[in-house]
């Protein structure tokens, strides 16, 4: 079987993917969720002409020459408007946020007034309408102020609250079942046997899922046993996972049984083996309504494939445009040799030069087992198949990590 180009694999993976259905959550639960429907305001803000400063509500036409005097006839704190009307020669003591009384059209800020008893003297006359927030200055009832595609952040939630929404329609989080496989794996925090290693891929993949807005469901570690592996796979189906991610066991060795067991469980294989490095033994398919993504077992391969394939799949399910499609531009901080037939994703340090250009400096070693280098990386340099040798200073596309 020939290796599939990365672009073709991604196109196949995303074919037919549409946003998941909506659900309703409280404002307190909506942070970093994705809005499902347009949101109309239920009120006008502000609902009345309001004072923007502490001072006095006056009639601008009453201002005459220097040191005009006005009689203070009442007070309007926020939440308690003045019930009467401001007549000629009168003023109302007012505080920020309070309704501007009937008859008044201007706010004289307290710094520009001198008060003695119930009389004030105008020290500096304001312009007409000064410090008055008109009704509907921010928005009006019925205005559409928030609409998909939108990841809700603190400022959107504050606006939704001001629009008088206590609950919001959001896209359901994709449920991602994560299954690590291999006799050699033990959970973090345990003592491995003489031929075992600590499982790490599931931790990184679960964090990636959560960062993308999905709901990770860790199924544990399955040994290289067809019966136990099938049991774990059935758990993902029972849990109605939108995506099943398997980690390891998708290659061609005698103990790489994941694809075989998935096939016996009814998986329809979409593609397998990609012309990329790291991550060649990537697998994708369908198991009923559950999409299956088989990631390689090597830690860096697994995480890079998660970034390149799982992340766009989650974004599509959440109604977002995959951001991998628009890599940034940088200049090489070191030489690179000629590439072979696979598309390379080269781990690199990221910095800026004196002209604020991004500089991607490839690490000398690129072994797919070396998580330490991935943790230090700021970017992946994208090198197409058969790319010629490149010298430092050459422009290159990069994915920012």
């Amino acid at each position: 079987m020939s290796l599939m180009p990365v672009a073709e694999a991604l196109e196949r993976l995303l074919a037919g993917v549409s946003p998941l259905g909506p659900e309703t959550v409280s404002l307190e639960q909506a942070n970093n969720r994705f809005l499902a429907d347009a949101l109309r305001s239920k009120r006008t803000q502000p609902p009345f002409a309001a004072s923007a400063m502490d001072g006095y509500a006056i009639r601008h036409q009453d201002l005459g020459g220097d040191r005009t005097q006005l009689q203070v006839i009442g007070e309007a704190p926020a939440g308690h408007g003045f019930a009467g009307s401001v007549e000629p020669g009168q003023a109302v003591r007012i505080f920020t946020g309070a309704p501007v009384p009937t008859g008044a059209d201007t706010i004289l800020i307290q710094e520009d007034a001198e008060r003695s008893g119930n009389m004030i003297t105008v020290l500096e006359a304001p312009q007409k309408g000064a410090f008055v927030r008109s009704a509907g200055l921010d928005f009006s009832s019925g205005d559409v102020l928030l609409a998909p595609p939108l990841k809700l952040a603190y400022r959107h939630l504050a606006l939704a609250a001001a629009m008088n929404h206590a609950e919001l329609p959001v896209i359901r989080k994709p449920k991602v079942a994560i299954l690590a496989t291999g006799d050699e794996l033990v959970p973090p925090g345990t003592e491995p046997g003489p031929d075992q290693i600590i499982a790490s891929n599931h931790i990184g993949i679960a964090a990636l899922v959560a960062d993308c807005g999905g709901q990770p469901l860790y199924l544990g570690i399955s040994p290289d046993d067809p019966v136990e592996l099938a049991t774990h796979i059935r758990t993902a189906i029972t849990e109605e996972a939108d995506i099943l991610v398997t980690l390891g066991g998708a290659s061609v060795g005698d103990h790489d049984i994941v694809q075989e067991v998935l096939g016996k469980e009814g998986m329809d294989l979409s593609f397998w083996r990609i012309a990329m490095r790291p991550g060649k033994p990537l697998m994708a398919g369908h198991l009923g309504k559950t999409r299956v993504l088989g990631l390689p077992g090597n830690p860096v391969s697994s995480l890079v494939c998660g970034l390149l394939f799982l992340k766009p799949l989650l974004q599509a399910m959440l109604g977002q445009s995959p951001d991998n499609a628009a890599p940034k531009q940088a200049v090489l901080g070191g030489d690179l040799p000629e590439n072979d037939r696979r598309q390379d994703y080269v781990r690199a340090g990221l910095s800026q030069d004196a002209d604020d250009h991004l500089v991607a400096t490839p690490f000398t070693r690129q072994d797919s087992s070396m998580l330490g280098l991935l943790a230090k990386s700021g970017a992946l340099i994208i090198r197409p198949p058969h790319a010629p040798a490149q010298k430092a200073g050459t422009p290159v596309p990069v994915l920012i990590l």
Side-chain angles (χ1 to χ4, degrees):
M1 180 184 293
S2 61
L3 301 181
M4 181 177 292
V6 172
E8 181 182 345
L10 187 58
E11 183 179 357
R12 286 200 191 186
L13 181 69
L14 300 182
V17 179
S18 57
L20 301 180
E23 63 180 1
T24 300
V25 300
S26 68
L27 275 175
E28 293 78 10
Q29 297 173 314
N31 191 38
N32 291 327
R33 298 294 299 271
F34 294 88
L35 192 64
D37 297 307
L39 211 63
R40 293 182 181 275
S41 177
K42 295 182 177 181
R43 60 180 283 112
T44 294
Q45 180 68 14
F48 43 73
S51 176
M53 298 286 283
D54 293 345
Y56 297 90
I58 64 173
R59 293 161 26 108
H60 189 268
Q61 65 194 77
D62 287 343
L63 298 177
D66 294 341
R67 302 185 67 82
T68 297
Q69 291 193 319
L70 301 169
Q71 181 186 9
V72 180
I73 61 171
E75 185 174 277
H80 302 279
F82 180 71
S85 178
V86 177
E87 303 297 335
Q90 296 179 339
V92 168
R93 177 73 165 123
I94 196 167
F95 297 88
T96 304
V100 177
T102 302
D105 59 11
T106 300
I107 303 299
L108 171 69
I109 61 174
Q110 60 189 20
E111 294 89 338
D112 292 337
E114 184 178 87
R115 183 165 180 173
S116 177
N118 67 345
M119 298 297 294
I120 58 170
T121 299
V122 179
L123 303 179
E124 184 174 335
Q127 293 187 353
K128 184 175 183 179
F131 303 111
V132 174
R133 295 176 177 143
S134 60
L137 175 66
D138 198 357
F139 52 82
S140 299
S141 179
D143 287 351
V144 175
L145 302 177
L146 298 171
L150 177 66
K151 185 177 184 179
L152 294 163
Y154 64 93
R155 62 190 186 277
H156 308 120
L157 298 180
L159 174 58
M163 294 161 67
N164 204 24
H165 287 274
E167 297 178 325
L168 299 181
V170 296
I171 297 175
R172 178 176 63 81
K173 287 187 175 185
K175 183 183 290 188
V176 183
I178 302 169
L179 175 60
T181 69
D183 291 340
E184 74 278 14
L185 300 178
V186 296
T190 60
E191 186 64 32
D195 303 315
Q196 293 182 308
I197 59 173
I198 305 298
S200 60
N201 297 3
H202 67 287
I203 298 296
I205 292 298
L208 177 64
V209 168
D211 285 348
C212 292
Q215 177 186 346
L217 172 65
Y218 182 46
L219 300 182
I221 299 172
S222 175
D224 295 320
D225 176 83
V227 175
E228 290 201 39
L229 183 56
T231 299
H232 283 87
I233 291 169
R234 290 168 193 163
T235 300
I237 303 305
T238 301
E239 293 287 340
E240 298 183 328
D242 299 289
I243 306 171
L244 168 61
V245 175
T246 61
L247 304 171
S251 192
V252 294
D254 292 341
H255 299 281
D256 294 319
I257 61 173
V258 171
Q259 185 179 148
E260 177 185 351
V261 174
L262 281 166
K264 290 180 178 178
E265 291 298 309
M267 183 188 72
D268 179 18
L269 181 66
S270 177
F271 59 83
W272 175 51
R273 304 179 74 215
I274 311 302
M276 62 182 289
R277 183 178 29 244
K280 180 177 70 172
L282 181 84
M283 174 183 65
H286 294 78
L287 190 56
K289 294 181 180 180
T290 301
R291 292 179 177 268
V292 178
L293 194 59
L295 303 184
N298 276 322
V300 175
S301 301
S302 182
L303 296 179
V304 169
C305 285
L307 179 67
L308 296 176
F309 292 93
L310 178 57
K311 182 180 179 180
L313 179 57
L314 288 166
Q315 289 174 322
M317 288 184 170
L318 288 164
Q320 307 298 298
S321 297
D323 55 18
N324 288 354
K328 303 292 185 181
Q329 288 294 313
V331 294
L332 273 177
D335 297 345
L336 284 173
E338 181 181 356
N339 195 17
D340 61 14
R341 62 183 180 139
R342 286 198 272 171
Q343 182 153 303
D344 267 4
Y345 293 88
V346 179
R347 281 162 284 171
L350 195 65
S351 60
Q352 287 184 305
D353 62 17
D355 297 319
D356 287 336
H357 296 136
L358 289 176
V359 179
T361 304
F363 294 116
T364 303
R365 301 187 66 179
Q366 294 289 324
D367 190 282
S368 59
S369 68
M370 299 176 69
L371 276 174
L373 285 184
L374 184 63
K376 290 196 298 185
S377 299
L380 298 175
I381 301 171
I382 305 172
R383 304 202 72 218
H386 307 294
Q390 293 173 288
K391 294 290 187 181
T394 305
V396 287
V398 297
L399 287 179
I400 306 297
L401 296 177

